Amino acid sequence: MEDSLLMDAVERFVKGEMSAQEKIYFEDLRKNNPELDQTVVEQIFFYNELEKYSDRKNFTIALHEVETKLSEEGIISRNLPKGKGKLIQLWARSKRTIAVAASIAGVVSLFIASLVTSVAKQTPTNIKPLVEKLNQQENKTRQIENKLNKLEAGVNTPIIKPRLDAKFRATGFMIDAVNNYIVTNAHVIDQAKHKLIIENNKGEQFNAHSIYVNPEMDLAIIKVDDHDFPKMATLPYTIKKTNAELGEQVFMLGFPKQEVVYGEGYISARNGYQMDTIFCQLSTSANEGNSGSPVINKNGELVGVINSLETNADGVVFAIKAVNINRAIAEVKKIKGNEAIAFKGSNALKGNDRVNQIKKLQDYVFMIKGN
Amino acid sequence: MLGLQNLYYCINIRPVTTLEQEKLLLDGLAQESKESIERIYREHYSMVKSLIINNNGSSDDAADIFQETMIVLFEKAKSGEFELHCQLKTFIYSVSRRLWLKKLQQSSRFISQNELLEETIPVEDDVEHHEKKQNDFNLMEAAMAKVGEPCKSLLEAYYIQKKPMQQIASDFGYTNADNAKTQKYKCLVRLKKLFFAQYKFSE
């Protein structure tokens, strides 16, 4: 109760509502009673915090009202309609602090929503597809590099194709070296609004077009169009017939940058995000551009295709189980003109050391670019 | 590309009229004026939106980042020591950019090395300061959530909606303003306890 009285005094003191006489008395009291003074200091501090909180809160409410108004005018667009505002608004403001807790409860629906509507390109907030958006700067740098390389080599390439001004980069790999089919993620193909190309490790680009896109499995199959695409030997890998084992060591090749990058890790869970059985979980690091990277075990068997990473956690990467590639191939077979597709692989990687495995593998892994 | 453009604004002396207008706008912001907020949105939202969209963000991200930028701006305006050395536009762009960079870093451990390289005006301190304030705000918010009813409504009515005690007494069914006041202080003591239970003095 005394605390309440003191608070009243402090409040009036801070607001300047005390009479001169009262003020003198109050300050006298503080001077002569260090313990009380300590409490007063604390209360003034608290009172100021409360004031700041109140101002911020009022501002946030005003902010939200303006936002709602402008949303109605179409100036601001949000995918998630912000219903009765205030609560959601406040949630939005403090979501960083509660993000961890929320991710446990909130993610289920988010992810399901994304599965259903992934055609409409909704990505759950803490799952990050690994396509890298390229900016013009990088394109230019690359063009200059290419020119320099050509000058250095002193070779005039006989066929000069205009190079694509790519807007994104991801990874894909060969699944049929006879008919030149390549697999990558559906969300990668989603990015290709106009043009799609593949680029090999020599920097040569070839036109391709998408044959099959399955957003549910996040798999897509594309076919190389160009006739000058070099003939390739039989695939040095096979698709593992069973699911990858927990703890199984794996490695991957992908294009998080403009050259092939090697990564390794292990299978850390049998299922993917929220127990999604299409996916499995890896413990490794993946970056933008890694989407569509092949995940291969030590015997040279394909166990998965990288598709996303969890942004809330460190080193949690998801891959589509490789068995799904068989499903995709079966479906492509039904598409007119693509009946010939077949996965013919060998176990050429088996028994090789890692360096040799990579050497053999890297010709079959491509950059997927487009705009 | 954008950075260069803004640099240009920064080294250019602002026309007096713009300066005055922007000063008024910031004063309005400090008063939580909706008109000021709306004007800033109308003038600068599209710029921030294209910044976010062009750098791996969605329109939702853009709305979030702009909101947070507005709060940084509000805090600055409120502190009274804010002197804008370049156009408001540059400040808004710089803060949004900084916030977005941080968000990208937090969310995925990496950012594309080629993007967002250009610096505009240094706002790191402002953003850091804002984070501290945000944290204090969250603590008070959490304490408020825990204080329970009728305390929460009572405190909000008095400290946020700034209703007079008389009205609060009748709204909440207290016999008179003094009773309501006593109750309010009891609630405040509780709130204070909750707040300090979480608050860590940094110094």
Side-chain angles (χ1 to χ4, degrees), chain A residues 263-326:
Chain A
E264 53 184 47
Y266 56 88
I267 305 291
S268 58
R270 288 190 183 90
N271 295 311
Y273 202 66
Q274 291 300 324
M275 299 303 289
D276 193 317
T277 53
I278 287 175
F279 303 88
C280 61
Q281 184 182 317
L282 310 180
S283 179
T284 182
S285 79
N287 288 321
E288 287 176 333
N290 265 125
S291 270
S293 297
V295 181
I296 289 176
N297 69 9
K298 66 175 188 340
N299 296 327
E301 292 171 308
L302 200 58
V303 297
V305 184
I306 297 274
N307 93 309
S308 61
L309 66 79
E310 189 171 345
T311 52
N312 283 346
D314 228 24
V316 174
V317 173
F318 299 107
I320 302 138
K321 291 176 186 168
V323 287
N324 293 303
I325 297 175
N326 289 327

Side-chain angles (χ1 to χ4, degrees), chain A residues 121 131 168 170-172 182-198 208-214 218-223 291 368-371:
Chain A
K121 281 200 283 339
V131 196
F168 68 87
T171 308
I182 287 172
V183 73
T184 184
N185 292 136
H187 76 255
V188 172
I189 299 307
D190 253 10
Q191 300 279 333
K193 304 278 185 297
H194 308 290
K195 209 165 171 356
L196 183 67
I197 59 130
I198 61 155
H209 72 281
S210 135
I211 301 286
Y212 169 80
V213 179
N214 185 329
D218 198 15
L219 276 183
I221 291 178
I222 62 176
K223 188 171 167 43
S291 270
I368 311 290
K369 291 184 172 181
N371 61 17

Side-chain angles (χ1 to χ4, degrees), chain A residues 123-364:
Chain A
T123 315
T125 46
N126 53 353
I127 287 271
K128 191 177 176 65
L130 297 170
V131 196
E132 183 173 15
K133 296 226 170 70
L134 301 177
N135 62 4
Q136 289 178 328
Q137 200 186 342
E138 194 187 349
N139 278 327
K140 281 204 186 101
T141 320
R142 206 201 50 225
Q143 278 168 9
I144 294 166
E145 260 171 29
N146 282 332
K147 270 187 198 153
L148 282 176
N149 286 343
K150 275 177 197 161
L151 283 176
E152 244 172 48
V155 183
N156 279 328
T157 20
I159 310 154
I160 301 162
K161 277 191 223 166
R163 290 189 73 87
L164 181 79
D165 229 6
K167 290 240 158 44
F168 68 87
R169 176 182 62 228
T171 308
F173 57 94
M174 199 64 119
I175 49 164
D176 180 343
V178 181
N179 304 300
N180 301 332
Y181 287 98
I182 287 172
V183 73
T184 184
N185 292 136
H187 76 255
V188 172
I189 299 307
D190 253 10
Q191 300 279 333
K193 304 278 185 297
H194 308 290
K195 209 165 171 356
L196 183 67
I197 59 130
I198 61 155
E199 189 174 320
N200 63 17
N201 55 6
K202 299 183 191 82
E204 295 165 332
Q205 298 187 339
F206 304 94
N207 293 315
H209 72 281
S210 135
I211 301 286
Y212 169 80
V213 179
N214 185 329
E216 197 186 324
M217 301 198 287
D218 198 15
L219 276 183
I221 291 178
I222 62 176
K223 188 171 167 43
V224 183
D225 295 325
D226 288 353
H227 295 297
D228 57 338
F229 184 74
K231 197 101 203 90
M232 300 187 82
T234 311
L235 305 172
Y237 41 84
T238 56
I239 297 176
K240 193 175 182 191
K241 294 200 170 54
T242 54
N243 284 335
E245 295 298 328
L246 210 56
E248 190 167 353
Q249 297 287 332
V250 290
F251 70 99
M252 58 224 81
L253 289 181
F255 290 94
K257 53 190 277 200
Q258 186 60 30
E259 66 172 335
V260 72
V261 172
Y262 169 77
E264 53 184 47
Y266 56 88
I267 305 291
S268 58
R270 288 190 183 90
N271 295 311
Y273 202 66
Q274 291 300 324
M275 299 303 289
D276 193 317
T277 53
I278 287 175
F279 303 88
C280 61
Q281 184 182 317
L282 310 180
S283 179
T284 182
S285 79
N287 288 321
E288 287 176 333
N290 265 125
S291 270
S293 297
V295 181
I296 289 176
N297 69 9
K298 66 175 188 340
N299 296 327
E301 292 171 308
L302 200 58
V303 297
V305 184
I306 297 274
N307 93 309
S308 61
L309 66 79
E310 189 171 345
T311 52
N312 283 346
D314 228 24
V316 174
V317 173
F318 299 107
I320 302 138
K321 291 176 186 168
V323 287
N324 293 303
I325 297 175
N326 289 327
R327 271 173 64 192
I329 290 174
E331 282 176 53
V332 170
K333 254 191 209 317
K334 294 178 201 156
I335 301 169
K336 200 168 180 294
N338 297 285
E339 294 83 356
I341 188 172
F343 188 101
K344 284 200 194 74
S346 71
N347 53 6
L349 296 178
K350 199 172 182 175
N352 283 248
D353 65 16
R354 190 52 51 85
V355 173
N356 280 316
Q357 285 182 328
I358 294 166
K359 271 186 191 152
K360 287 180 180 166
L361 179 63
Q362 65 178 359
D363 289 342
Y364 296 87

Side-chain angles (χ1 to χ4, degrees), chain B residues 131-155:
Chain B
E131 275 163 10
K132 164 90 180 70
K133 288 196 159 181
Q134 176 70 48
N135 201 27
D136 293 347
F137 178 83
N138 288 344
L139 282 178
M140 192 61 85
E141 183 93 334
M144 269 292 190
K146 276 191 218 153
V147 79
E149 292 296 355
C151 276
K152 187 170 183 282
S153 305
L154 196 61
L155 292 172

Side-chain angles (χ1 to χ4, degrees), chain A residues 1 3-5 7-9 11-12 15 17 39 42-43 45-47 49-67 69-70 73-80 82 86 89-97 128 130-138 141 284-288 309-317, chain B residues 1 29-30 32-35 37-38 41-42 45 49 53-61 63-64 66-68 70-71 74-75 78 99 103-104 106-118 130-138 140-141 144 152 155-156 158-162 181-182 184-186 188-189 191-193 195-196 199 201:
Chain A
M1 198 57 209
D3 210 9
S4 301
L5 280 175
M7 246 177 180
D8 179 48
E11 202 170 306
R12 282 185 296 122
K15 279 186 179 169
E17 284 172 1
T39 318
E42 192 186 281
Q43 292 206 354
F45 174 84
F46 174 70
Y47 188 78
E49 284 299 308
L50 188 60
E51 280 287 282
K52 278 192 266 173
Y53 171 78
S54 157
D55 292 342
R56 244 297 284 279
K57 191 110 170 170
N58 280 323
F59 179 74
T60 323
I61 292 165
L63 194 60
H64 186 258
E65 279 172 28
V66 172
E67 213 197 52
K69 182 180 169 194
L70 296 179
E73 288 179 33
I75 293 171
I76 300 168
S77 54
R78 280 187 185 273
N79 286 334
L80 307 164
K82 293 219 146 186
K86 203 167 141 192
Q89 165 71 19
L90 294 171
W91 180 81
R93 295 264 53 74
S94 53
K95 68 182 161 196
R96 203 164 287 151
T97 33
K128 191 177 176 65
L130 297 170
V131 196
E132 183 173 15
K133 296 226 170 70
L134 301 177
N135 62 4
Q136 289 178 328
Q137 200 186 342
E138 194 187 349
T141 320
T284 182
S285 79
N287 288 321
E288 287 176 333
L309 66 79
E310 189 171 345
T311 52
N312 283 346
D314 228 24
V316 174
V317 173
Chain B
M1 311 152 273
L29 212 61
E32 298 135 27
S33 139
K34 271 188 250 173
E35 289 73 29
I37 298 174
E38 190 175 328
Y41 258 101
R42 286 193 189 278
Y45 184 70
K49 189 178 170 186
I53 303 274
N54 287 331
N55 289 289
N56 285 330
S58 64
S59 53
D60 282 10
D61 293 325
D64 283 347
F66 198 80
Q67 240 184 40
E68 201 164 345
M70 287 297 280
I71 289 168
F74 166 72
E75 281 161 355
K78 195 86 189 168
L99 289 171
K103 203 170 174 190
L104 282 178
Q106 272 172 0
S107 63
S108 51
R109 296 172 293 141
F110 52 80
I111 50 157
S112 193
Q113 293 290 316
N114 299 300
E115 280 163 37
L116 303 169
L117 273 180
E118 296 147 65
H130 161 69
E131 275 163 10
K132 164 90 180 70
K133 288 196 159 181
Q134 176 70 48
N135 201 27
D136 293 347
F137 178 83
N138 288 344
M140 192 61 85
E141 183 93 334
M144 269 292 190
K152 187 170 183 282
L155 292 172
E156 280 180 353
Y158 186 76
Y159 289 103
I160 295 170
Q161 292 144 30
K162 315 241 190 269
K181 207 170 164 183
T182 313
K184 187 206 81 182
Y185 279 120
K186 278 185 189 164
L188 201 59
V189 171
L191 184 73
K192 196 185 98 185
K193 271 192 194 142
F195 179 77
F196 281 119
Y199 193 87
F201 288 92

